[in-house]
Amino acid sequence: MRNYLLAAVAAAALATPAMARDKSVYVGVDAGVMLVEDTKLDYVYDDGVDAYEIPDALNIDHKLGFDVDLVAGYDFGLVRGELELGYKRASLDEVQIDTALTGSPSPTLPFDTDGDVSVWSAMVNVLFDFGDEDGWSGFIGAGAGWANVDYDIEVPGVDFDPNTQGVQSLDGSDHDGTVAWQILAGIRKSITPNIDLGLKYRFFNASKLRFNDVGFDGVALDGRFRSHSLMLSLLYNFYTPAPPPPPPPPPPPATQTCPDGTVILATDSCPPPPPPPPPPPEPERG
């Protein structure tokens, strides 16, 4: 029974909204490593006469990249709203090309690939806080905004140009802008009343991308970009602690009541009693 009671108290503590920095503005920076999911690009050919599409024609593998951002927001209490400007970059590692493009009867080995992918993004995030912001606390939330994804890709030794013969490489660089969304979660620790350090996870998604400048006329590549990032966070809160309450008034001094009914301080002495009245005069003798 005691264990159940302790668990209930711990759960209630985690569920309690942090109140220490309510109604305050904050700014911060996040930086860390990024793992990009394999990008599958559809091959779309249309020269005005012939048109066809090969789904998942290119499967691009990426090396480990980095993710950085700047944030500025307002803490409403249980909920925070923030603006975020981010930049991500990763080098390309290998690309698997569909046999419909290579003409090979069996899947080819992945081709070594030169180039990189970079993403600029501007997002609006809504985050829900829990825990004690004067100690350890956590958050979870989501964001949406706009992203510009730029792929620079070169695959030597590949010939799949439908218009010419003898082209021995896929070489192109193009970018496209699209709506993006993300899921965020993390923990942080208050170092001072104004500075927090934390760890932040981000899942980022940008879909409906189209790259037209891939080196071949009439060819476009369609796909999406997805990544997972783990970052260290540094936040500065423009938070001014409330002034301490004024001290309580001093207690009234102790008093005592004297035999004659007067009230004096307990440290004073009561006045001496008045002298007794004189005795009445003796009667005269006749």
Side-chain angles (χ1 to χ4, degrees), residues 85-227:
L85 178 64
Y87 178 73
K88 306 167 182 59
R89 185 183 180 93
S91 297
L92 307 186
D93 188 13
E94 297 176 331
V95 60
Q96 182 80 43
I97 301 175
D98 192 274
T99 56
L101 292 179
T102 61
S104 173
S106 59
T108 62
L109 295 174
F111 291 92
D112 290 335
T113 306
D114 295 328
D116 57 69
V117 59
S118 58
V119 182
W120 284 100
S121 61
M123 311 293 286
V124 178
N125 302 323
V126 177
L127 307 170
F128 296 89
D129 290 332
F130 56 89
D132 178 12
E133 286 197 355
D134 288 328
W136 285 99
S137 63
F139 65 90
I140 188 170
W146 187 260
N148 186 80
V149 182
D150 189 327
Y151 262 99
D152 182 4
I153 181 171
E154 180 180 356
V155 186
V158 179
D159 181 3
F160 56 79
D161 185 354
N163 300 314
T164 63
Q165 299 295 326
V167 177
Q168 295 300 317
S169 67
L170 166 63
D171 186 358
S173 177
D174 198 10
H175 62 89
D176 192 22
T178 186
V179 174
W181 57 270
Q182 61 185 3
I183 297 175
L184 304 166
I187 57 174
R188 66 180 188 268
K189 177 70 167 64
S190 175
I191 304 302
T192 73
N194 297 98
I195 298 176
D196 294 345
L197 291 178
L199 190 65
K200 180 177 180 179
Y201 165 78
R202 183 207 318 276
F203 170 74
F204 184 85
N205 181 87
S207 301
K208 298 182 179 180
L209 298 168
R210 166 157 285 201
F211 305 106
N212 295 301
D213 187 7
V214 294
F216 305 137
D217 294 336
V219 175
L221 299 175
D222 294 350
R224 70 185 180 192
F225 175 89
R226 282 185 172 179
S227 65

Side-chain angles (χ1 to χ4, degrees), residues 12-28:
L14 287 175
T16 303
M19 303 297 290
R21 296 173 182 83
D22 292 359
K23 315 300 182 186
S24 64
V25 176
Y26 65 90
V27 295

